[in-house]
Amino acid sequence: MMQILAILRKHIRMILGTTFVVTLAVAFVTFFVMAPKYQATTQLLVNRKLSSEMQAAQLQQTQADVQMINTYKDIITSPTVLKTVDKEVNNYPGYPGSMSALKNEISVSSQQNSQVFSVTVKATDPYTAAEIANLTAKTFKKKVGKIMSINNVSIVSPASINKNPVSPRKTLNLLAGIVVGLLLGIGFAFIREITDTTVTSEKFLTDELGLTNLGIINEIAPEEVKKRIHHKKELHGSDNPSFAAQTSQRRV
């Protein structure tokens, strides 16, 4: 544990730097690249006539309700419904761009043991999201009667305009960026520590490798070497007569 903390302290600048860069990148994408999306939800109710056997068996009834909701979901996201919706909204601001993209923005959900189900639509424009949700519900109500001979579909709650975006979740994205940046920084720190083969202490050679210490050679900077050589030349030139004589003979 102490060794891990020592590695983290050693590479703390790299960890903090990685965290800052990743968080900054996530913030840029969140605030300047990702388009905000708005959500609108409508609720529908299909009153199915159940037989006396199904009323007696609650479990079978629940399973039948779930199966029917899945059937309604398939019908809502089928070309039978979406072609009509797509034709009406393809010029609206925030339109997803195609029928397949429109399908991806529509979700159907329901509560347990309930015949009421919700149709939720996401779009980059709040008015378009509400319009698509309401138009989808109306189209489904009209089409499902011909497909399944059901004429008792009710729109319980039409979709309303919600100007509060549901995505991107800025705070959540920033927190995720911080966590990912920390994890990446810690990972890079351990990778760098593992791949670093530089010997930095005498203790590693003697204790870890079992080698005998014969001495230590200190490193001298090139500037220091030049300074010492220049100093020696000055000493020899002023204090050593033989050196001065040799110098003058060479000049002659």
Side-chain angles (χ1 to χ4, degrees):
M1 186 64 183
M2 296 300 296
Q3 188 176 3
I4 294 176
L5 293 177
I7 294 174
L8 296 179
R9 283 196 299 267
K10 180 180 177 181
H11 300 284
I12 187 64
R13 289 186 178 180
M14 183 179 67
I15 294 173
L16 294 178
T18 304
T19 303
F20 176 76
V21 171
V22 173
T23 305
L24 187 64
V26 171
F28 177 80
V29 172
T30 300
F31 288 94
F32 299 104
V33 177
M34 297 179 66
K37 284 191 175 183
Y38 303 87
Q39 181 175 288
T41 301
T42 181
Q43 291 182 320
L44 293 91
L45 171 64
V46 179
N47 293 316
R48 295 186 300 110
K49 294 181 179 181
L50 302 176
S51 63
S52 58
E53 291 81 3
M54 292 184 66
Q55 292 176 353
Q58 183 68 27
L59 179 61
Q60 293 180 1
Q61 179 181 345
T62 302
Q63 292 176 347
D65 288 339
V66 172
Q67 291 176 358
M68 290 308 299
I69 294 296
N70 291 333
T71 302
Y72 301 150
K73 176 182 178 180
D74 293 336
I75 295 174
I76 288 172
T77 56
S78 68
T80 303
V81 173
L82 291 186
K83 277 184 179 179
T84 303
V85 177
D86 182 74
K87 185 177 180 180
E88 292 290 334
V89 301
N90 57 11
N91 292 324
Y92 285 20
Y95 168 67
S98 64
M99 192 171 70
S100 59
L102 178 62
K103 179 180 179 180
N104 293 331
E105 299 298 339
I106 298 176
S107 60
V108 181
S109 60
S110 62
Q111 298 294 328
Q112 188 175 6
N113 300 330
S114 174
Q115 291 178 313
V116 177
F117 60 96
S118 302
V119 178
T120 302
V121 178
K122 292 181 180 179
T124 56
D125 185 88
Y127 297 93
T128 300
E131 184 65 25
I132 292 175
N134 289 326
L135 185 58
T136 301
K138 293 176 182 178
T139 306
F140 168 76
K141 182 178 179 179
K142 184 185 298 183
K143 299 284 186 181
V144 74
K146 298 178 181 179
I147 297 174
M148 301 182 64
S149 299
I150 297 176
N151 297 318
N152 51 352
V153 179
S154 303
I155 300 177
V156 178
S157 176
S160 59
I161 299 170
N162 184 5
K163 295 185 179 181
N164 296 320
V166 295
S167 68
R169 299 180 179 178
K170 299 176 181 178
T171 303
L172 184 62
N173 286 1
L174 292 178
L175 290 176
I178 293 173
V179 173
V180 172
L182 280 174
L183 293 177
L184 285 176
I186 293 172
F188 289 153
F190 280 102
I191 292 174
R192 186 171 181 179
E193 190 70 21
I194 293 172
T195 56
D196 187 8
T197 57
T198 305
V199 177
T200 57
S201 66
E202 175 188 354
K203 187 176 181 181
F204 173 79
L205 296 174
T206 56
D207 296 348
E208 300 292 335
L209 301 182
L211 301 177
T212 303
N213 182 17
L214 300 178
I216 299 176
I217 301 176
N218 294 325
E219 183 180 358
I220 303 176
E223 293 79 8
E224 184 66 23
V225 174
K226 292 180 181 180
K227 185 177 179 181
R228 292 186 181 184
I229 294 174
H230 182 69
H231 183 64
K232 278 188 176 183
K233 286 182 178 180
E234 289 181 348
L235 290 177
H236 283 294
S238 58
D239 299 336
N240 193 339
S242 62
F243 179 81
Q246 291 175 8
T247 304
S248 59
Q249 287 178 3
R250 289 176 183 174
R251 290 178 180 175
V252 173

